[in-house]
Amino acid sequence: MTELPPSLLLFAGALITMLLRGRARNIFLVALPVYAFWHISQLSFGEGPKLDFLPTFDALEPLRVDKLSKAFGYIFTLNAAVAFLFAFYVKKAFQHVWALIYIGAALGVIFSGDLITLYVYWEVMAISSAFVIIARNTLRAKQAAFRYVMVHIFGGLLLLAGIVMTVSSSGSIAFDAFDYADANLGTWLILSGFLVNAAAPLFSAWLSDAYPEASVTGGLILSAYTTKTAVYTLLRGFPGWEPLMVIGCVMAVFGIMYALLENDMRRILAYSIINQVGFMVCAAGIGTKMAIAGAVAHAFCHIIYKSLLWMSAGAVLYRTGKSRCTELGGLYKTMPWTLLFGGIGALAISAVPLTSGFTSKTIIIAATEYKELFWVWLILELASAGVFLHAGIKFPYFVFFNKDRGMRPKEAPKTMLWAMGILSFLCIYLGVRPQALYDILPYPVDYQAYTVSHLVTQMQLLMFSALVFFLFLPMLKRTATISLDTDWFYRKGGQAFYRVMDKSLNGINTAVADLIAVRYTAWLGRFFRTAPAEILGGLLVPYWMVLGLGSYAIAERKEKLILRAKRGAFPIGITACLAVMMLAIIYLVALA
Amino acid sequence: MRDKNMDEQKKEFDWFDRPSSRRLLWRLLWGACALSVVAEFFVHRHPHFGIDGIFGFYALLGFIGCSAMILFAKMLGKWVKRGEDYYGDNIEDDVIPEDIDDGNHD
């Protein structure tokens, strides 16, 4: 039993979920990830049982357990348990079944030791997550899910092409760290496939496009797994790949810019994921033990506080049916607990001292200091300040304060509050006692977040960011707008492509149909009816002239000939003569 | 919820809406900023790059950096902001998503 890949537990759970009803199902959904968490804690380090694959390949390795995979396994199952507690009110099984498959596949990626197993789980993740989005059952959700799955199929194909190239050149299907010095097209393609899921620049729009269209619980569950699985694969496969530093920095800043422009609260949080994942991608690029450990710690804490933020946004959406900042505001009066918990999440994501962000994200920043990467350090510090702007203040401010729009929704249901309470506790607990987290990191961390100097500098950074927010508040007034992202290229591009194809291909089709079916066949019919006689008549004219016939007689004979040809009524002699001539022509053509 | 009687409406917690509270919060914010800078006098710092050793560096970074980001985002907004129906999909669906509270369950 201890050798069982955790993914199978959740797949089996998905089947059982379909059989259960009502409260029993909801309890089962919470209990299953808790059990999976315990199961992961019992897994012994090393490789599990292997499965024989094709004759020329190494055996598949569906269960590789080390500190890195365990750390991600813990947070994935922990988050799932709390997310299903939050989702206790959901009556239908559909999205939960797909969510379990999705989370199971994410665990599958985390624990797979070879590229083939990883790829299969990767695609299961893409498809099951698309169904989690579809489960909201609105037209917008269905359209977004369609775009989402297309992007992920594209990413999956990049990954597959990379795996095929890498395996055929190296002969090994093992998934270990690739050497930057030996980078080749195969490894670059694998990296690109991973980066699509990490929401790297140019490939990030799927996230901000699709997650906010998912249901309250769907968005919550999605926010944790796809990008963090991608972070895991980068930490495992591409530590020290320098371009990742640049990509990470761009993501960190890009996320802030768009989150500042955004009006929809869940889209603000979606862009904020891109910003946060940027830190982790950057850490993978730095590649030192400290950076890797920092990225794992950050991913762990990030999943907790980002889920907490999605939960508070979800509770607001659940009670009000609205998610635009321009329609929300003043909710602190009737949803104080949701505000409190959301606020704790907001403080944690901003790395305020005594929260988990302060003890995790700052490890990555310290890693840039140790490696003396000035620009990376500067951008990450700047991005840290920006996080406080968009997620730390903007989100709670516009949702819970700002202008009272006369809404008096009830406080969130109790199960939602319990879920948020648990995550809030974790945010603070890991901020005060980070050692529990440091102990499960892949490398020992010799890092002390709580120095007086660090506290002072962090408070300066955050307080002055807050000051800027409120000084610039008139400039940050929300407008009922959307912001164009790279999905413009395939949304507008897709429409344009459709129109161009419609005009060009259908145009060609019509023209060809007209030419062939109408004109050419008619011409051909006329040709075969009259042409032989016309040609023959033309040939006979000199002969008739030699015979001394007048022009009138010639015309008469020619007309007669054509008439006969049309009716096909030649005397036998002429028919035979024509046949001989035809044969002669064919013979001549053949000779030539 | 508009059918609440007047007494209950009076009792409603609206501390953050009061001008006096807002003034207080502003003072607290300025105070916190000042305090964080003053605290630096009593701290021995370990700059890694030189520039971060400047007094009040992080305060400046927060202030200038955030101002720059907001201004940049504002400019970016002029370029990328569009109406909500830009993609022609700003539709109110007939399907009421079941995850919106319809008041029947708690």
Side-chain angles (χ1 to χ4, degrees):
Chain A
M1 191 62 188
T2 49
E3 300 298 303
L4 191 73
S7 55
L8 298 185
L9 282 178
L10 293 177
F11 291 163
L15 288 175
I16 296 168
T17 305
M18 285 192 266
L19 302 174
L20 294 173
R21 292 283 174 276
R23 186 155 285 230
R25 179 168 63 210
N26 288 337
I27 292 170
F28 172 76
L29 281 164
V30 178
L32 178 71
V34 173
Y35 177 73
F37 181 91
W38 178 81
H39 176 77
I40 290 169
S41 72
Q42 298 301 306
L43 290 174
S44 44
F45 288 123
E47 294 164 5
K50 300 202 170 194
L51 289 175
D52 279 331
F53 187 48
L54 299 172
T56 48
F57 286 89
D58 301 333
L60 299 182
E61 198 187 307
L63 186 62
R64 174 198 21 212
V65 185
D66 58 10
K67 286 196 107 175
L68 182 60
S69 47
K70 262 198 175 188
F72 276 87
Y74 286 140
I75 188 58
F76 278 12
T77 45
L78 180 69
N79 183 67
V82 185
F84 283 122
L85 177 62
F86 181 86
F88 217 78
Y89 69 95
V90 176
K91 301 257 189 304
K92 286 184 183 163
F94 182 79
Q95 67 170 330
H96 289 332
V97 171
W98 285 109
L100 282 178
I101 296 172
Y102 169 57
I103 298 166
L107 284 170
V109 171
I110 300 303
F111 285 103
S112 53
D114 68 273
L115 291 165
I116 311 277
T117 314
L118 180 140
Y119 175 74
V120 172
Y121 279 124
W122 197 263
E123 293 293 9
V124 174
M125 252 175 87
I127 291 163
S128 51
S129 53
F131 279 101
V132 174
I133 300 166
I134 288 175
R136 197 182 190 199
N137 209 21
T138 61
L139 186 61
R140 280 173 68 95
K142 286 172 194 165
Q143 289 174 343
F146 174 72
R147 293 190 292 271
Y148 170 89
V149 83
M150 293 305 265
V151 174
H152 284 282
I153 287 172
F154 171 73
L157 287 175
L158 291 178
L159 180 61
L160 179 63
I163 290 174
V164 168
M165 284 183 189
T166 309
V167 171
S168 64
S169 67
S170 72
S172 162
I173 60 168
F175 176 45
D176 292 309
F178 297 105
D179 192 353
Y180 185 47
D182 295 337
N184 55 48
L185 184 59
T187 47
W188 281 115
L189 282 171
I190 293 179
L191 180 61
S192 317
F194 290 162
L195 282 173
V196 169
N197 274 23
L202 304 182
F203 298 108
S204 64
W206 60 263
L207 197 164
S208 46
D209 177 25
Y211 284 5
E213 298 301 342
S215 71
V216 165
T217 53
L220 163 66
I221 287 167
L222 289 163
S223 75
Y225 297 99
T226 302
T227 46
K228 260 58 77 184
T229 309
V231 166
Y232 162 84
T233 56
L234 295 177
L235 294 176
R236 167 82 69 190
F238 297 91
W241 282 53
E242 283 159 17
L244 290 179
M245 283 195 271
V246 181
I247 292 171
C249 287
V250 173
M251 288 172 73
V253 176
F254 171 88
I256 294 170
M257 293 301 162
Y258 270 79
L260 283 173
L261 291 174
E262 192 50 59
N263 183 32
D264 184 300
M265 65 174 170
R266 294 203 297 166
R267 215 153 252 136
I268 294 174
L269 297 181
Y271 280 115
S272 158
I273 295 178
I274 299 174
N275 155 275
Q276 292 285 299
V277 171
F279 281 82
M280 303 171 208
V281 171
C282 194
I286 298 165
T288 58
K289 284 183 176 176
M290 186 179 193
I292 301 293
V296 177
H298 187 209
F300 196 98
C301 296
H302 162 86
I303 288 177
I304 294 172
Y305 55 65
K306 186 42 67 70
S307 283
L308 182 52
L309 287 166
W310 276 89
M311 282 178 183
S312 64
V316 169
L317 176 62
Y318 175 72
R319 283 304 197 204
T320 65
K322 297 184 191 307
S323 68
R324 295 184 183 95
C325 290
T326 42
E327 295 172 353
L328 290 166
L331 298 183
Y332 75 89
K333 292 171 186 168
T334 54
M335 300 184 81
W337 287 101
T338 307
L339 164 66
L340 174 72
F341 296 138
I344 291 172
L347 294 178
I349 197 174
S350 315
V352 171
L354 302 182
T355 65
S356 56
F358 185 66
T359 50
S360 60
K361 185 165 69 181
T362 48
I363 305 177
I364 298 175
I365 294 177
T368 63
E369 289 174 347
Y370 288 144
K371 234 191 157 193
E372 311 222 311
L373 298 160
F374 175 74
W375 286 107
V376 179
W377 166 80
L378 190 67
I379 289 170
L380 292 190
E381 286 284 15
L382 208 59
S384 304
V387 173
F388 196 39
L389 276 186
H390 78 265
I393 309 178
K394 179 183 167 175
F395 161 69
Y397 179 79
F398 282 106
V399 173
F400 293 101
F401 301 103
N402 195 25
K403 201 172 152 190
D404 188 341
R405 313 233 179 229
M407 278 184 292
R408 294 293 181 269
K410 277 192 285 187
E411 179 58 274
K414 283 205 174 63
T415 48
M416 286 192 180
L417 291 178
W418 270 106
M420 288 192 270
I422 293 169
L423 293 188
S424 300
F425 168 76
L426 286 171
C427 281
I428 293 170
Y429 182 79
L430 294 174
V432 180
R433 294 192 174 275
Q435 201 55 43
L437 173 61
Y438 294 172
D439 287 342
I440 62 161
L441 298 181
Y443 303 108
V445 179
D446 179 26
Y447 174 71
Q448 180 50 261
Y450 289 100
T451 63
V452 180
S453 133
H454 189 205
L455 282 170
V456 167
T457 54
Q458 187 73 2
M459 286 317 285
Q460 279 186 5
L461 189 70
L462 294 175
M463 286 302 117
F464 278 85
S465 304
L467 183 66
V468 169
F469 179 88
F470 287 106
L471 287 176
F472 281 72
L473 202 52
M475 281 186 85
L476 291 166
K477 203 163 170 286
R478 295 297 81 222
T479 49
T481 49
I482 58 162
S483 304
L484 300 187
D485 198 341
T486 46
D487 57 343
W488 181 85
F489 289 100
Y490 49 84
R491 296 181 78 170
K492 284 291 170 181
Q495 286 177 5
F497 180 75
Y498 180 83
R499 275 199 299 276
V500 168
M501 287 297 126
D502 177 41
K503 286 270 183 312
S504 63
L505 292 184
N506 284 340
I508 291 172
N509 198 13
T510 322
V512 169
D514 182 53
L515 196 69
I516 302 287
V518 182
R519 294 186 202 186
Y520 177 68
T521 32
W523 177 82
L524 211 62
R526 272 201 310 280
F527 178 81
F528 282 117
R529 256 196 339 260
T530 57
E534 296 267 10
I535 293 166
L536 192 64
L539 287 173
L540 283 174
V541 168
Y543 171 69
W544 285 325
M545 282 163 79
V546 171
L547 284 182
L549 294 175
S551 61
Y552 179 74
I554 290 175
E556 196 184 12
R557 285 196 174 199
K558 201 174 166 185
E559 201 178 315
K560 211 168 166 182
L561 187 77
I562 290 168
L563 202 65
R564 275 182 176 164
K566 276 187 181 167
R567 289 175 185 157
F570 285 112
I572 291 170
I574 295 177
T575 312
C577 178
L578 286 173
V580 168
M581 280 170 71
M582 191 63 200
L583 284 173
I585 289 167
I586 292 171
Y587 181 67
L588 285 173
V589 168
L591 271 187
Chain B
M1 298 301 149
R2 291 182 180 282
D3 54 353
K4 278 185 176 176
N5 61 46
M6 287 303 289
D7 289 332
E8 261 184 273
Q9 275 191 357
K10 269 180 193 165
K11 269 188 273 173
E12 190 177 71
F13 177 70
D14 62 350
W15 190 83
F16 289 96
D17 287 357
R18 294 180 203 155
S20 58
S21 318
R22 295 198 170 208
R23 272 198 302 278
L24 177 67
L25 289 170
W26 265 111
R27 281 190 202 130
L28 283 175
L29 181 59
W30 280 107
C33 287
L35 190 69
S36 69
V37 176
V38 170
E40 199 175 332
F41 284 114
F42 308 99
V43 173
H44 181 66
R45 301 246 327 266
H46 308 280
H48 286 83
F49 301 101
I51 186 172
D52 52 334
I54 299 170
F55 182 81
F57 173 79
Y58 284 87
L60 286 172
L61 185 70
F63 193 86
I64 297 170
C66 286
S67 312
M69 280 190 279
I70 288 174
L71 292 173
F72 187 83
K74 192 88 186 157
M75 273 168 17
L76 185 70
K78 288 212 187 328
W79 186 44
V80 299
K81 268 193 181 181
R82 294 291 186 279
E84 284 184 326
D85 202 31
Y86 177 75
Y87 289 115
D89 64 348
N90 189 29
I91 27 167
E92 298 297 329
D93 275 10
D94 309 334
V95 192
I96 304 293
E98 69 152 359
D99 56 2
I100 304 295
D101 181 21
D102 54 9
N104 291 333
H105 38 73
D106 199 40

